[in-house]
Amino acid sequence: MIRIQNVNVSFDDTTPLNVLVEKRMELPPHSVSEVVIVRKAIDARRYKGAGIKFVYILDVAIDGNEKKILNRFKKNKNIDWAPKKEMPRKYPSPVADDQPPVIVGFGPAGMFAALTLARAGYKPIVLERGRDVDSRHADIQKFWAGGALSPQSNVQFGEGGAGTFSDGKLTTRVNDPLISSVLDDFVKAGAPEDIKYLHKPHIGTDMLRTVVKNIRLEIIRLGGQVRFESQVTGIEKNSDGSIKAVIINDSERMNVSAAFFGIGHSARDTYKMLYDFGLSMEAKPFAVGVRIEHPQEMIDRNQYGDDTGHELLPVADYAVTYNDKEKGRGAYSFCMCPGGQVVAATSELEGVVTNGMSDYRRDSGVANSALLVTVNTKDFADHVLGGIEFQRKWERAAFKAGGGDYYAPVQTVGDFLSGKFGSTDFLTKPSYQPGVRAVDLHQCLPDFVSGMLTDALPYFGRRIAGFDNVGAVMTGIESRSSAPCRIIRDKGTFESESLSGFYPIGEGAGYAGGIMSAALDGMNAALAFLDKKAHTKGM
């Protein structure tokens, strides 16, 4: 097949792609027998009178002598042979006395580690502290409706991990050849086909619930086990410094020779257990801030102008950043959710934590994003777990400011910038459930965070008209965007540098930041394990 890059097409041009390719390459009609979309992005820059365009990368099959046709375009850097797909590696099958590898946590990292090992015949045992996704969804809905919080079944813990109740973004800055494999598995499990080529793919929380369930069923079909409400509360090691066993729910002991810990960034009790055990860990920077909401139409109009609302255009997103070199900090948008809602995401009693979530259709009419400020390790106590206590302090302050009943503290941008509070003249109705109270957000944010947001909001308003509208509502606080510590591992083997057979993976290990990067991390760790097996068996 031939790959064609930078195929620019007006967004409202409905001409079939094979016809467009035939015209571009000056080929006879019906000579393009197949078109595969490799990438589809949107270019909304309106300069020199140009309209909004879709930009494609296409792989095409052409009837006739493709080599001869390609020679006509040898000076065109956008036309060349399509890369050939690599054949999957073969790995040794487990022998009878091999202990099944254990996967701790069933978020994206644990899920794809388990799936990779199951396909290689290793029958992994998954231990997930939370509940299955259907039970978890019911628990979350009860909490959002004003019921009790379940510390083991919430937005952070349970089947699918924290990403299951988010926007379901599949973007990543990681450049990994396994990306297409992960996307293929999502599609096989029920995700829409277009995630394989969209520049900014997403699944949405409604579809993700089905996808993660189907991946679990595939792992089981391949011989694996998935156990819910099974929290690992301890580990043991052999005299040679390798992992020996895990303790489940403080009572059950399971011998292991390899354990993949994909615990997520909110497993604070597990972090403490591993630290007390003596595992090599280090503190790392993270971020704290708020969620901000605007009418989705306002964001669309900034992006699309007069074409706002066209059925062929997706709802728009945005990304904004602000840096203060003197202060040595930045403020930035994070996890922007078009057409979504702000959700209650705490996993601990007497704390308020926010996150953003969207369904696949992104049709709530409200855009929300985190506005975060970097927190450096020097901002909290000189301790590996100091970041956790820093997060907890401000989450409890937000709980208190909101009234002590899991209502979230909110404040309009106008009040926040002018030093007032109490206004309820909101640009959009706050979407956080179970409810909100208008208070002074400064009382539940560190001074340096409040100061940076005060500087950044007008700056963002100059880049997106209306962003700093006085009625735009901010909801506090967002504190779980990334892990506050890192479990140190060997770069090549993925194993802990202080415990052989222990594989820290995903966001909770401090090596990923989102669904895709976590899934890739889990998959690569599983492949490193299989490489080790192959080396041991002389393959």
Side-chain angles (χ1 to χ4, degrees):
M1 298 185 81
I2 293 174
R3 174 159 293 182
I4 310 176
Q5 303 194 63
N6 294 318
V7 180
N8 294 281
V9 183
S10 177
F11 81 92
D12 55 356
D13 186 342
T14 57
T15 305
L17 288 174
N18 64 310
V19 176
L20 291 171
V21 170
E22 288 163 355
K23 289 181 178 179
R24 175 166 179 165
M25 300 188 71
E26 299 178 354
L27 298 170
H30 312 299
S31 57
V32 174
S33 57
E34 184 182 4
V35 178
V36 177
I37 301 175
V38 178
R39 178 64 59 90
K40 178 183 178 182
I42 189 166
D43 184 352
R45 296 171 296 174
R46 296 178 296 278
Y47 55 90
K48 295 183 180 180
I52 300 172
K53 298 182 181 300
F54 290 135
V55 183
Y56 292 93
I57 299 175
L58 303 173
D59 284 351
V60 300
I62 301 173
D63 293 337
N65 189 329
E66 286 190 342
K67 184 176 181 180
K68 183 177 180 180
I69 293 169
L70 196 58
N71 281 337
R72 291 167 44 204
F73 298 94
K74 58 185 177 181
K75 292 184 179 180
N76 190 327
K77 295 180 180 180
N78 289 320
I79 302 177
D80 206 344
W81 289 114
K84 292 183 178 180
K85 292 186 177 180
E86 294 184 13
M87 295 297 292
R89 281 195 59 183
K90 291 184 178 180
Y91 289 98
S93 299
V95 296
D97 61 347
D98 276 344
Q99 290 177 327
V102 169
I103 314 294
V104 180
F106 203 47
M111 193 175 298
F112 276 83
L115 185 60
T116 302
L117 295 170
R119 284 175 172 156
Y122 278 80
K123 299 181 180 180
I125 300 172
V126 177
L127 304 174
E128 165 56 50
R129 69 188 292 165
R131 305 181 74 188
D132 68 273
V133 71
D134 291 329
S135 301
R136 180 187 180 198
H137 182 236
D139 292 337
I140 290 169
Q141 291 297 319
K142 288 178 183 177
F143 174 55
W144 289 350
L149 169 69
S150 169
Q152 296 290 61
S153 180
N154 47 64
V155 167
Q156 306 296 343
F157 300 142
E159 183 175 21
T164 303
F165 292 87
S166 67
D167 185 55
K169 294 181 184 67
L170 302 180
T171 52
T172 177
R173 296 178 182 177
V174 175
N175 185 16
D176 192 309
L178 294 174
I179 287 175
S180 60
S181 297
V182 173
L183 294 175
D184 284 343
D185 284 326
F186 278 131
V187 172
K188 290 174 186 175
E193 188 83 17
D194 62 11
I195 67 170
K196 294 167 68 173
Y197 58 79
L198 288 178
H199 175 55
K200 295 180 179 180
H202 85 286
I203 299 179
T205 188
D206 49 343
M207 287 193 176
L208 266 171
R209 295 197 297 272
T210 298
V211 168
V212 300
K213 187 190 306 184
N214 287 338
I215 292 176
R216 180 230 305 169
L217 295 175
E218 177 65 7
I219 292 167
I220 294 171
R221 186 189 71 79
L222 292 168
Q225 301 177 45
V226 181
R227 293 176 49 179
F228 296 109
E229 300 181 66
S230 299
Q231 181 179 354
V232 171
T233 54
I235 56 176
E236 298 176 4
K237 67 178 178 179
N238 294 302
S239 58
D240 64 357
S242 62
I243 191 166
K244 180 179 182 180
V246 296
I247 310 301
I248 305 166
N249 296 334
D250 295 318
S251 57
E252 179 185 353
R253 185 179 179 280
M254 179 183 292
N255 287 326
V256 299
S257 58
F260 296 77
F261 270 61
I263 59 176
H265 56 43
S266 293
R268 294 167 170 175
D269 46 4
T270 308
Y271 279 136
K272 186 177 187 308
M273 179 270 290
L274 295 174
Y275 176 78
D276 290 344
F277 174 81
L279 207 67
S280 294
M281 300 169 66
E282 63 183 3
K284 62 179 282 291
F286 53 98
V288 168
V290 298
R291 280 268 153 187
I292 189 167
E293 296 183 89
H294 299 95
Q296 182 63 49
E297 192 274 340
M298 186 197 90
I299 304 302
D300 292 346
R301 185 159 297 282
N302 272 271
Q303 177 82 327
Y304 301 137
D306 293 338
D307 292 310
T308 296
H310 196 288
E311 61 181 4
L312 295 179
L313 290 174
V315 290
D317 62 5
Y318 64 80
V320 289
T321 60
Y322 172 81
N323 289 294
D324 189 319
K325 293 182 179 179
E326 290 186 5
K327 295 180 180 178
R329 295 189 193 275
Y332 58 96
S333 59
F334 176 81
C335 187
M336 192 270 152
C337 297
Q341 66 187 85
V342 179
V343 300
T346 187
S347 57
E348 289 189 340
L349 299 173
E350 298 186 358
V352 165
V353 178
T354 65
N355 195 14
M357 185 181 84
S358 300
D359 286 339
Y360 177 70
R361 292 178 61 86
R362 290 174 163 174
D363 56 2
S364 75
V366 179
N368 80 81
S369 177
L371 291 184
L372 300 180
V373 175
T374 49
V375 177
N376 301 313
T377 54
K378 64 182 181 181
D379 294 318
F380 49 84
D382 187 18
H383 189 278
V384 169
L385 304 182
I388 291 175
E389 290 307 315
F390 183 96
Q391 291 173 326
R392 184 177 283 140
K393 171 186 175 180
W394 295 106
E395 290 166 10
R396 289 177 174 173
F399 178 79
K400 181 179 179 181
D405 52 5
Y406 297 102
Y407 275 41
V410 299
Q411 190 172 18
T412 63
V413 167
D415 277 8
F416 185 83
L417 294 177
S418 65
K420 303 175 183 177
F421 63 90
S423 173
T424 56
D425 188 14
F426 301 128
L427 190 61
T428 59
K429 181 181 178 182
S431 59
Y432 176 99
Q433 295 296 327
V436 301
R437 290 191 173 90
V439 299
D440 181 9
L441 280 177
H442 294 81
Q443 63 185 302
C444 52
L445 292 171
D447 288 343
F448 68 84
V449 172
S450 294
M452 283 295 295
L453 292 178
T454 298
D455 294 341
L457 282 163
Y459 177 84
F460 295 155
R462 292 192 290 273
R463 275 135 189 84
I464 300 176
F467 194 92
D468 58 345
N469 184 290
V470 295
V473 61
M474 299 193 299
T475 307
I477 65 169
E478 173 125 356
S479 53
R480 308 280 186 93
S481 62
S482 63
C485 55
R486 179 179 289 114
I487 303 172
I488 303 172
R489 71 186 185 193
D490 181 88
K491 185 177 180 179
T493 67
F494 284 77
E495 291 178 274
S496 163
E497 68 172 24
S498 58
L499 184 63
S500 174
F502 184 100
Y503 294 80
I505 56 175
E507 286 202 48
Y511 292 95
I515 293 172
M516 275 300 293
S517 60
L520 290 164
D521 199 60
M523 192 174 185
N524 278 309
L527 292 173
F529 166 83
L530 294 173
D531 281 335
K532 184 178 180 180
K533 286 286 185 181
H535 179 74
T536 301
K537 296 180 181 181
M539 289 185 68

